[in-house]
Amino acid sequence: MVDFIFCRRIPDKTGRINCTNTEIMNHMEKISLSKGFTLKLAGMPDTSVIRLPRPATVGVSAQDIPHIRPKLLVKENDSVKTGQPLFCDKRDTSIQYVSPGTGTVKKIVFGKRRRLLEVVVALETMDDFIQFDPISASQLHQLPKQDLVHRLKQGGLWQTIRQLPARDTADSETAPPLIIVCLNGNDMFSPHPGLVLQDNTRQFEFGLSVLKQFSDRVIVAARTDSLKLLSPVKHLITLEVPDIHPAWDPGAILYHIKKEAKENAAWYINVQGLVRMAQFLETGQYPVDTMVTVTKGNDKKPHMITRQGSPIRLLAGNLPLNSLITTGRFNGRRVDPDTHLGFFENTLNIIPDAPADEMFGFIRPGLDKPTVSKAFLSSLVDRKVQMDCTMHGEKRACINCSYCESICPTDLMPSFIMKALVSDDIEEALALGLLDCCRCGLCSFTCPSKIELAHILSQGMDMHHKDKQG
Amino acid sequence: MNPLKKIFELLEYDFSDAGKFAKLAPLFDATKTFFFLPSPKNKQGPFIRDNLDLKRYMSFVIISLLPVLFFGIYNTGYQSGLARGETLGFWASFLSGAWVVLPIIIVSYAVGFFWEILFAAIRRHPISEGFLVTGLLFPLTLPPTIPLWQVAMGISFGVVIGKEIFGGTGRNILNPALTARAFVFFSYPVTMSGNIWVAGADAVDGITGATALAVTAEGGSSLTSALSEQGFTLSSLFFGFVPGSIGETSALCCLIGAVFLMVTRIGNYRIILGGIAGLAVTAILFYFLPGTKGTWAAAGPLYHLCAGGFLFGISFMATDPVSAPGTNPGRWIFGFLIGFLTVILRVANPAFAEGVMLAILFMNVFAPLLDHLVMKHRISKRIPNV
């Protein structure tokens, strides 16, 4: 593994990391990974960028925040400034989720058992920011680590750093063995890092130097397909991952680069989070813009810059009847069109419904039925496919067919782990590598018995994390 | 709207919880989903799913069995004609074969489905597609002369004891079709073992004839010449124009099915190739053993491969994913040992002429152990993450 560890240099006044040995700096490692989702999906977004109009409302969702026990800090009809905390995490009240706009709290939406779903803010025309002192790149190195953490927590951006394997907010009390910067998002059509970084190269470098305050080993990973548009920051990328979903997921990356058990507690951060963290430190104001992609059928929609927490309806446009909207086909959540995009989410997939139940569907040749198996004629043609939001079958017992094992990017045997979990044997599940699961969802995707493997494994991991926290 | 769909919608209420046939809901569901592939919306992520489901999975096994089935029907008629001293044409052979074989298949499906529906109704779970395969595999392992009541007894044992008492599909230890056959084999040895019966279209008792595996050469001549004297040349064994159980005689048709299963990845190639390798290696070892001239030890791998039911068993029985190991190294070992044990039983055990059924059942029992060992090894290779 060649990464920053070999070019540890004290940054100069501009905050740039000067590495004398450019050869090492330019050396990009590559991981090989053959298992994963190999179909080509239609609807890749265009590389043009548009800016959406200012939304009437923004929302801060609590649904995409893992493990959180939210504690509200505002009431309905309170007026809030941009950057003002709306709720915090009861487990650590210094971790706050702040308003991405100035206005009044229009509605606080609760779900079943009074679980907080989202806080909706009606925007005013002008932003009034909560202002912090800007920190320049040169000041960064004089700042004690605790102060840096404190500032990021105050600004509502510390939680952009998360910690494997539970993907909870990073624990600032511990020192991470390494930090993975993921240039690509959770979905295969998440925003292109080249477009995210095209005007933010400086912030990206600043962000990396922030991360260097926490760990000497920072790994910047990008998928092969993205490298073309990433030439301005190419010298900063240390790891190339193949174009197979989910090779760019932090869990999958960690599994393929780790050498010892202590690396399991690695931190990771998404490229947009890193850029926003740097923007916040530089300006002292909460950065409100984010880039999102929307995929719908064969449309090649442009990348969109919008306010964080924009309404789904604004982003998604017209919705086909009975379609599902998700924030990631494989591992996102299902969203209602009347809610708002979450803190960590930057892609929407509008997945169409299937035509009515097909007569003798199980024995048709299936030229139009995408599959990763070899049991349909479609497996003989190499073309872009469209997939609908239905199950294509009914739930059955596990028949040990190993389709899940042959697709798992982290070499797990999901069916055996599932059996251990449903029989309450967490020890066995952990020994089989449960916590290496990167929640990519491919096991559920491929299972011919339609068992919710990914859901069962995720639940097992979450339960384990909860137990561990006490 | 499709008229058939209308009928199902009209009947839906009667089979619902409030309806008068609520107990038979699984039967209704199975019939309905046979005609109309259900595709409910995904409730949990991932929100797109592969098109392969268990219905298609199991129907592909049925498709792979079609060459064996049609050849079996034809050959049954052809052999019965030969036994009566006449050479029947293609259609005559096929029709007289169908007259014998179809009742066996119908009884197997009817009785087996009765048990499936009974258990599904009591346990309130859907009928599993796995039985479609079991119900066809079992008749193909039987001699055509078997009395139909024995077919009914066999499939009842296979479904109830082989599968349902363990909890149904996915939880059984042994292959249900082979369990059924083993039951018939040990309970009614007269109809099943050693000398098999050639189905006669009119003669109830049929005519006996030795299977190739029961042949030994006497007086110092070689086994192959003794075999060809009795009509078992390598090519007749390969193409399958010999008497035997309905589905097992043609090595060629079994290979076609095996290739289909391997290409579509429905059957695991590791089991099939491992099995053939195990059989070949063991047969070669015995071939070089001194003093075995004239027995099946000296037959060599090709005769072992083509004679008897090995190819049928390894292609369609051993590849049953539920009773085979769930790990890839386990599958190689599983297949290899089936091949090995088949030859051992054929050569070294005077009690049984054929060993493939017992070899597969024996290895079915060992499959969880193989999985356990492989998993232990794999766990030791992983970087622990707890």
Side-chain angles (χ1 to χ4, degrees):
Chain A
M1 195 66 258
V2 178
D3 39 59
F4 281 77
I5 203 159
F6 292 110
C7 28
R8 199 181 312 157
R9 292 284 179 280
I10 294 155
D12 64 14
K13 281 174 197 138
T14 61
R16 280 175 190 265
I17 301 158
N18 289 322
C19 190
T20 45
N21 189 345
T22 47
E23 219 176 270
I24 289 179
M25 198 70 179
N26 283 329
H27 185 79
M28 201 188 293
E29 288 277 308
K30 201 171 172 174
I31 55 173
S32 63
L33 182 149
S34 53
K35 295 203 270 180
F37 182 76
T38 43
L39 295 181
K40 287 186 196 135
L41 290 176
M44 182 153 90
D46 198 53
T47 49
S48 58
V49 182
I50 57 164
R51 180 175 272 278
L52 292 185
R54 189 185 173 89
T57 58
V58 288
V60 180
S61 173
Q63 293 177 80
D64 65 321
I65 305 166
H67 313 291
I68 188 176
R69 288 172 58 210
K71 182 182 177 191
L72 275 169
L73 303 172
V74 290
K75 295 189 296 294
E76 277 182 17
N77 301 322
D78 283 1
S79 52
V80 290
K81 288 182 180 182
T82 310
Q84 183 180 330
L86 299 180
F87 57 88
C88 63
D89 193 339
K90 241 178 244 177
R91 301 172 302 163
D92 177 356
T93 49
S94 65
I95 294 166
Q96 303 165 331
Y97 292 81
V98 306
S99 171
T102 304
T104 39
V105 177
K106 192 179 155 198
K107 205 170 174 207
I108 297 175
V109 188
F110 294 98
K112 283 180 187 157
R113 296 166 68 203
R114 251 187 103 70
R115 180 168 161 245
L116 177 66
L117 298 184
E118 60 174 7
V119 179
V120 183
V121 177
L123 289 191
E124 282 163 16
T125 44
M126 289 298 287
D127 270 307
D128 187 5
F129 288 93
I130 293 205
Q131 186 67 45
F132 296 91
D133 292 335
I135 296 171
S136 69
S138 53
Q139 285 168 320
L140 185 66
H141 304 284
Q142 282 119 43
L143 201 69
K145 209 175 91 180
Q146 302 94 299
D147 292 2
L148 182 61
V149 172
H150 182 64
R151 172 60 56 85
L152 289 171
K153 283 181 172 174
Q154 278 181 317
L157 284 160
W158 171 255
Q159 55 268 36
T160 51
I161 309 179
R162 286 164 69 174
Q163 187 166 343
L164 289 167
R167 306 197 176 220
D168 205 345
T169 310
D171 179 4
S172 55
E173 306 291 310
T174 59
L178 72 157
I179 302 177
I180 301 169
V181 178
C182 301
L183 293 192
N184 301 92
N186 64 326
D187 194 73
M188 21 187 37
F189 298 149
S190 286
H192 194 299
L195 302 178
V196 173
L197 293 180
Q198 65 184 359
D199 297 325
N200 293 311
T201 312
R202 192 174 44 82
Q203 282 86 347
F204 180 61
E205 286 186 50
F206 181 42
L208 288 179
S209 54
V210 172
L211 295 183
K212 307 273 306 155
Q213 303 293 308
F214 299 103
S215 174
D216 287 333
R217 202 169 155 210
V218 177
I219 286 163
V220 184
R223 62 189 270 201
T224 312
D225 193 46
S226 302
L227 291 175
K228 273 169 276 169
L229 285 179
L230 279 170
S231 40
V233 292
K234 205 158 185 179
H235 60 289
L236 299 168
I237 298 170
T238 60
L239 188 70
E240 182 185 339
V241 298
D243 268 313
I244 303 172
H245 174 82
W248 48 86
D249 176 275
I253 293 170
L254 179 66
Y255 174 75
H256 287 277
I257 61 172
K258 72 179 179 182
K259 300 258 184 322
E260 49 190 343
K262 69 167 200 256
E263 291 169 57
N264 286 323
W267 291 3
Y268 71 93
I269 184 168
N270 174 283
V271 63
Q272 294 220 47
L274 187 69
V275 167
R276 289 172 63 200
M277 187 190 264
Q279 284 169 342
F280 166 71
L281 291 175
E282 259 187 357
T283 60
Q285 292 181 345
Y286 187 74
V288 293
D289 284 340
T290 184
M291 189 183 275
V292 296
T293 52
V294 176
T295 63
K296 177 154 78 178
N298 287 314
D299 295 5
K300 286 173 87 70
K301 289 180 161 264
H303 284 59
M304 302 173 210
I305 297 178
T306 185
R307 194 170 279 252
Q308 193 217 311
S310 286
I312 302 290
R313 234 178 246 290
L314 174 80
L315 302 168
N318 291 331
L319 296 168
L321 198 67
N322 286 330
S323 53
L324 275 188
I325 316 170
T326 71
T327 60
R329 274 167 265 250
F330 290 102
N331 50 8
R333 69 185 169 107
R334 185 180 168 179
V335 290
D336 187 274
D338 295 319
T339 59
H340 298 78
L341 200 64
F343 183 81
F344 294 101
E345 295 162 341
N346 46 36
T347 189
L348 284 181
N349 317 103
I350 295 152
I351 311 174
D353 194 14
D357 296 351
E358 260 184 323
M359 191 156 181
F360 295 120
F362 69 99
I363 203 67
R364 295 193 177 198
L367 201 56
D368 54 345
K369 293 186 170 183
T371 180
V372 292
S373 71
K374 300 286 174 208
F376 294 87
L377 277 186
S378 69
S379 61
L380 301 175
V381 259
D382 182 37
R383 64 172 174 208
K384 292 198 167 147
V385 297
Q386 275 263 34
M387 300 205 76
D388 58 52
C389 63
T390 67
M391 194 95 105
H392 305 294
E394 287 178 306
K395 196 185 169 200
R396 290 289 183 266
C398 173
I399 56 160
N400 240 356
C401 63
S402 287
Y403 272 75
C404 51
E405 185 193 340
S406 58
I407 203 167
C408 178
T410 56
D411 300 329
L412 298 174
M413 295 184 280
S415 59
F416 285 95
I417 299 178
M418 177 271 290
K419 286 169 193 170
L421 284 173
V422 294
S423 55
D424 254 347
D425 190 349
I426 186 78
E427 298 296 324
E428 170 85 0
L430 291 174
L432 286 168
L434 172 65
L435 298 187
D436 285 337
C437 169
C438 66
R439 309 189 191 216
C440 64
L442 288 180
C443 43
S444 295
F445 169 81
T446 193
C447 180
S449 291
K450 311 295 170 189
I451 298 168
E452 301 286 355
L453 290 161
H455 181 69
I456 296 169
L457 263 63
S458 290
Q459 265 191 334
M461 292 168 80
D462 291 348
M463 292 285 273
H464 175 70
H465 183 61
K466 212 172 167 184
D467 282 356
K468 238 178 152 178
Q469 283 191 328
Chain B
M1 194 196 210
N2 193 316
L4 201 57
K5 202 163 195 173
K6 241 179 192 158
I7 298 176
F8 280 120
E9 272 174 22
L10 281 175
L11 291 174
E12 185 120 45
Y13 177 77
D14 285 342
F15 289 94
S16 70
D17 276 346
K20 46 189 165 184
F21 305 125
K23 281 271 180 234
L24 288 178
L27 177 64
F28 176 77
D29 181 66
T31 322
K32 187 181 158 198
T33 58
F34 176 81
F35 287 106
F36 296 101
L37 185 72
S39 198
K41 223 176 209 186
N42 292 314
K43 294 201 172 61
Q44 269 141 2
F47 297 99
I48 56 174
R49 301 291 171 101
D50 199 278
N51 271 287
L52 180 67
D53 74 331
L54 223 58
K55 275 196 170 51
R56 194 171 183 90
Y57 197 99
M58 292 304 171
S59 30
F60 266 48
V61 184
I62 303 272
I63 293 174
S64 75
L65 281 168
L66 291 181
V68 173
L69 172 68
F70 287 125
F71 183 82
I73 291 175
Y74 166 77
N75 189 47
T76 303
Y78 181 73
Q79 294 299 329
S80 75
L82 282 188
R84 276 181 277 115
E86 43 186 307
T87 310
L88 296 177
F90 176 78
W91 285 110
S93 300
F94 195 81
L95 286 176
S96 66
W99 186 251
V100 177
V101 175
L102 285 186
I104 301 177
I105 295 176
I106 291 167
V107 168
S108 164
Y109 269 130
V111 177
F113 263 121
F114 166 76
W115 290 112
E116 282 283 328
I117 293 165
L118 182 70
F119 275 89
I122 292 171
R123 293 202 181 118
R124 305 199 69 77
H125 67 65
I127 295 173
S128 167
E129 290 78 10
F131 178 72
L132 289 175
V133 176
T134 308
L136 184 58
L137 273 177
F138 173 59
L140 291 178
T141 63
L142 298 173
T145 48
I146 187 152
L148 293 179
W149 66 270
Q150 288 183 9
V151 179
M153 291 298 287
I155 195 72
S156 300
F157 187 88
V159 170
V160 177
I161 307 292
K163 187 167 80 175
E164 292 299 346
I165 59 163
F166 292 104
T169 303
R171 301 178 176 93
N172 49 309
I173 297 169
L174 303 171
N175 183 321
L178 270 187
T179 313
R181 188 185 195 269
F183 174 78
V184 178
F185 181 85
F186 287 111
S187 306
Y188 314 109
V190 183
T191 34
M192 287 295 287
S193 67
N195 293 343
I196 60 96
W197 300 62
V198 181
D202 44 329
V204 178
D205 288 348
I207 297 145
T208 59
T211 62
L213 287 168
V215 172
T216 49
E218 280 160 34
S221 65
S222 74
L223 178 76
T224 46
S225 61
L227 277 172
S228 56
E229 266 169 39
Q230 303 210 21
F232 299 113
T233 61
L234 190 58
S235 83
S236 71
L237 289 170
F238 179 73
F239 290 108
F241 296 101
V242 292
S245 296
I246 298 165
E248 69 166 15
T249 58
S250 172
L252 176 67
C253 291
C254 292
L255 281 176
I256 293 172
V259 168
F260 179 79
L261 285 179
M262 288 194 281
V263 168
T264 55
R265 316 270 164 90
I266 296 295
N268 205 300
Y269 71 91
R270 296 171 185 87
I271 297 174
I272 300 176
L273 297 184
I276 293 174
L279 180 103
V281 168
T282 322
I284 290 168
L285 287 179
F286 273 109
Y287 186 75
F288 289 112
L289 221 61
T292 56
K293 202 163 178 248
T295 69
W296 269 89
L302 279 180
Y303 274 91
H304 271 292
L305 199 63
C306 295
F310 176 75
L311 274 174
F312 184 85
I314 200 77
S315 310
F316 305 116
M317 296 286 192
T319 51
D320 165 26
V322 177
S323 53
T327 54
N328 288 336
R331 290 186 176 112
W332 281 112
I333 302 169
F334 175 80
F336 190 90
L337 288 180
I338 288 174
F340 169 78
L341 285 172
T342 301
V343 179
I344 296 281
L345 284 172
R346 282 178 181 178
V347 172
N349 190 330
F352 306 113
E354 173 60 305
V356 64
M357 172 185 80
L358 294 172
I360 294 174
L361 285 174
F362 191 71
M363 289 313 297
N364 279 169
V365 176
F366 277 89
L369 182 67
L370 289 174
D371 276 346
H372 177 75
L373 295 174
V374 172
M375 285 199 295
K376 245 180 129 174
H377 176 73
R378 283 185 64 157
I379 288 170
S380 74
K381 291 273 175 225
R382 288 191 88 90
I383 298 167
N385 190 353
V386 283

